[in-house]
């Protein structure tokens, strides 16, 4: 029999929708996909140039397993400059992407049976990564009227003596909501009192709108900094998803364990990509502002259209590039005489009838919802929402 741990893991549903849409597209079907989980922009030129130079200058060998000293120093400078956080290179582990950093964190922190609190809706990989590392994911359901943000009563209800850590994702994928400093202070204090680690996934930290500032829970004070494994990377902020560079900042003991694990599992992250990440962090940041501006325009358009459609509700995202849409009003209605039973069915029928791909909320633990990404052109957004509108106009009952 194959490994129980491996068999217990379900493949990523967000990637599944994306591949279905891509498959239809390759057969010549005119599909509009709102499934993308990555920026639709190219990696900026100066970053690509840095990678080419790295190859030509011979940076093609093993580096230290947890990342090059120069990149770790650049990450420390970034954390100081942009987040007001002071870390030293020994507290940084550079990995093969934010997802790998999360995996390293769970591997370093969890013993069999340890519970990890995961606010719902959650990013699809958290529960699976916890299970793969012998932990028990404990879902903490949040409410839309609380902005899908976990509250102290929610945490109290979910806590047990086996609770080891809390996963906090702000800005959130899939909801786009951002925790305020005050909210983080309450959560941070709860974790401190209960001696829990905080896995702070800040991969969308640069993608926030309306001049909002994104607070890092590690920055509240020593009481949270010691407990926090801050996870970030260049994937989303610099349109570098394919390069696979993520990093953590944490207490040096945790960094040491993560580095040791990584040294056996993967060795160093790609040497060329590390040079590119260095150029991203140290180089000009103007290109990022343009990307943010484009996301912001699409966000405004998409939310305005969606809240004007029948059966649908949505909170305006404050960060990331997703709109999380409540479709409960459409469930139980019929399309072409056949009832729409749940969000999986809604997504499947929308793809079948109108050739629009969205991600059903089931994968995020929220079955009454769908996620639409605005990491696609304005032209696609207009066309896709027209089709969604046509689909909803056909609902009866
Ligand atoms: C995209 C994403 C990541 C990981 O990104 P990598 O591509 O592995 O760097 C981590 N967390 C969330 C919530 C994400 O959406």
């Amino acid at each position: 029999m194959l490994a129980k741990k491996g068999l217990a893991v379900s493949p990523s549903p967000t990637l599944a929708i994306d591949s279905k849409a891509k498959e239809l597209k390759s057969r010549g079907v005119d599909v509009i996909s709102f499934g993308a989980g990555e920026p639709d922009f190219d990696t900026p030129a100066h970053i690509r140039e840095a990678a080419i130079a790295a190859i030509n200058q011979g940076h093609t060998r093993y580096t230290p397993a947890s990342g090059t000293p120069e990149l770790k120093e650049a990450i420390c400078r970034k954390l100081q400059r942009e987040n007001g956080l002071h870390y030293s290179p020994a507290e940084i582990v550079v990995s093969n992407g934010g997802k790998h950093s999360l995996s390293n964190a769970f591997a370093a922190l969890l013993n069999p049976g340890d519970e990890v609190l995961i606010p719902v809706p959650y990013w699809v990989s958290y529960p699976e990564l916890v299970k793969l590392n012998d932990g028990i994911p404990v879902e903490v359901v949040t409410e839309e009227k609380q902005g899908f943000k976990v509250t102290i009563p929610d945490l109290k209800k979910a806590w047990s003596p086996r609770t080891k850590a809390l996963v906090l994702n702000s800005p959130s994928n899939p909801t786009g909501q951002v925790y305020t400093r005050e909210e983080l202070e309450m959560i941070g204090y709860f974790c401190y009192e209960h001696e829990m680690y905080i896995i702070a996934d800040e991969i969308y930290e640069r993608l926030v709108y309306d001049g909002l500032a994104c607070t890092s829970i590690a920055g509240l004070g020593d009481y949270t900094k010691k407990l926090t494994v801050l996870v970030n990377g260049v994937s989303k902020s610099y349109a570098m998803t394919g390069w696979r560079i993520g990093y953590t900042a944490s207490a040096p003991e945790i960094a040491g364990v993560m580095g040791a694990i990584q040294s056996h599992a993967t060795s160093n992250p790609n040497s060329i990509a590390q040079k590119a990440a260095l150029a991203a962090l140290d180089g000009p940041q103007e290109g990022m502002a343009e990307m943010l501006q484009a996301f912001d325009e699409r966000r405004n358009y998409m939310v305005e259209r969606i809240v004007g459609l029948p059966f649908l509700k949505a909170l305006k995202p404050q960060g990331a590039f997703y709109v999380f849409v409540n479709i409960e009003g459409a469930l139980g209605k019929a399309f072409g005489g056949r009832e729409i039973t749940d969000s999986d069915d809604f997504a499947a029928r929308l793809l079948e009838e109108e050739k629009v791909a969205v991600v059903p909320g089931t994968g995020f633990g929220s079955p009454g919802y769908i996620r639409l990404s605005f990491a696609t052109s304005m032209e696609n957004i207009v066309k896709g929402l027209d089709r969604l509108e046509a689909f909803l106009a056909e609902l009866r009952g």
Side-chain angles (χ1 to χ4, degrees):
M1 191 191 166
L2 297 179
K4 288 191 188 117
K5 238 162 56 170
L7 291 171
V9 167
S10 21
S12 170
T14 48
L15 297 182
I17 283 281
D18 212 41
S19 23
K20 178 88 209 279
K22 279 179 184 149
E23 189 232 350
L24 284 172
K25 240 180 235 170
S26 74
R27 288 202 272 121
V29 182
D30 171 30
V31 179
I32 301 286
S33 180
F34 290 127
E38 59 182 343
D40 53 318
F41 300 93
D42 289 331
T43 304
H46 70 280
I47 300 174
R48 287 181 272 137
E49 293 300 336
I52 293 164
I55 296 174
N56 290 332
Q57 288 161 12
H59 295 287
T60 52
R61 300 198 166 81
Y62 291 135
T63 75
S66 61
T68 60
E70 57 170 5
L71 179 54
K72 289 183 184 183
E73 275 159 24
I75 291 166
C76 291
R77 283 195 296 276
K78 181 264 177 228
L79 291 169
Q80 184 76 62
R81 184 176 69 232
E82 293 175 12
N83 312 93
L85 292 168
H86 180 73
Y87 283 99
S88 62
E91 298 170 309
I92 307 296
V93 176
V94 185
S95 76
N96 301 283
K99 198 180 267 189
H100 185 214
S101 286
L102 288 161
S103 176
N104 281 340
F106 294 128
L109 296 177
L110 300 183
N111 285 309
D114 283 348
E115 295 176 355
V116 178
L117 305 187
I118 303 178
V120 180
Y122 48 72
W123 184 51
V124 291
S125 292
Y126 299 138
E128 305 308 311
L129 283 172
V130 168
K131 285 192 270 174
L132 272 174
N133 288 288
D134 298 323
I136 300 171
V138 175
E139 297 188 0
V140 187
V141 178
T142 67
E143 305 223 17
E144 188 166 358
K145 63 175 192 295
Q146 301 276 8
F148 297 110
K149 290 190 265 192
V150 74
T151 64
I152 300 304
D154 295 337
L155 291 176
K156 277 190 179 147
K157 234 187 323 180
W159 184 87
S160 93
R162 296 164 78 168
T163 305
K164 187 69 164 280
L166 165 71
V167 176
L168 206 62
N169 176 212
S170 175
S172 154
N173 174 5
T175 71
Q177 300 306 305
V178 177
Y179 283 83
T180 65
R181 187 178 184 93
E182 291 69 33
E183 289 162 345
L184 293 175
E185 275 167 355
M186 288 190 283
I187 294 168
Y189 192 71
F190 180 91
C191 294
Y192 169 73
E193 270 187 323
H194 293 81
E195 298 181 355
M196 287 159 60
Y197 290 104
I198 303 163
I199 319 276
D201 181 349
E202 299 182 359
I203 199 94
Y204 292 102
E205 159 238 9
R206 296 286 298 269
L207 302 179
V208 287
Y209 309 103
D210 303 328
L212 209 71
C214 195
T215 306
S216 177
I217 196 164
L220 298 178
D222 245 10
Y223 72 108
T224 49
K225 193 177 175 214
K226 279 189 197 138
L227 302 172
T228 302
V229 179
L230 183 159
V231 176
N232 206 332
V234 294
S235 295
K236 307 288 162 61
S237 31
Y238 297 98
M240 291 178 71
T241 44
W243 298 77
R244 311 309 306 135
I245 295 291
Y247 58 84
T248 50
S250 68
E253 320 78 85
I254 308 174
V257 176
M258 291 192 291
I261 292 169
Q262 178 166 302
S263 75
H264 295 292
T266 65
S267 296
N268 63 273
N270 181 296
S271 59
I272 298 144
Q274 286 191 74
K275 281 283 188 187
L278 179 68
L281 294 175
D282 277 352
Q285 308 291 312
E286 290 78 27
M288 301 306 98
E290 272 169 44
M291 180 166 94
L292 192 66
Q293 175 72 28
F295 279 143
D296 192 22
E297 281 162 20
R298 299 167 184 182
R299 172 187 75 124
N300 290 328
Y301 177 80
M302 189 181 252
V303 173
E304 261 169 48
R305 285 274 318 254
I306 286 173
V307 298
L309 293 175
F311 312 118
L312 307 185
K313 284 195 291 184
L315 292 179
K316 191 167 192 178
Q318 303 166 306
F321 39 67
Y322 310 101
V323 182
F324 204 50
V325 183
N326 183 326
I327 58 155
E328 277 159 2
L331 301 181
K333 301 271 183 296
F335 185 101
R338 200 151 53 87
E339 186 185 323
I340 297 181
T341 54
D342 56 23
S343 65
D344 288 0
D345 194 29
F346 185 99
R349 305 278 288 281
L350 183 61
L351 186 56
E352 195 177 293
E353 304 290 346
E354 289 289 344
K355 309 293 179 272
V356 174
V358 300
V359 183
T362 348
F364 309 107
S366 297
Y369 293 80
I370 55 172
R371 189 193 75 178
L372 273 66
S373 162
F374 47 87
T376 184
S377 69
M378 198 60 169
E379 192 190 340
N380 278 342
I381 292 172
V382 173
K383 210 158 135 188
L385 292 178
D386 287 346
R387 293 181 187 185
L388 175 63
E389 185 168 352
F391 180 79
L392 295 169
E394 292 298 313
L395 297 190
R396 298 288 177 268

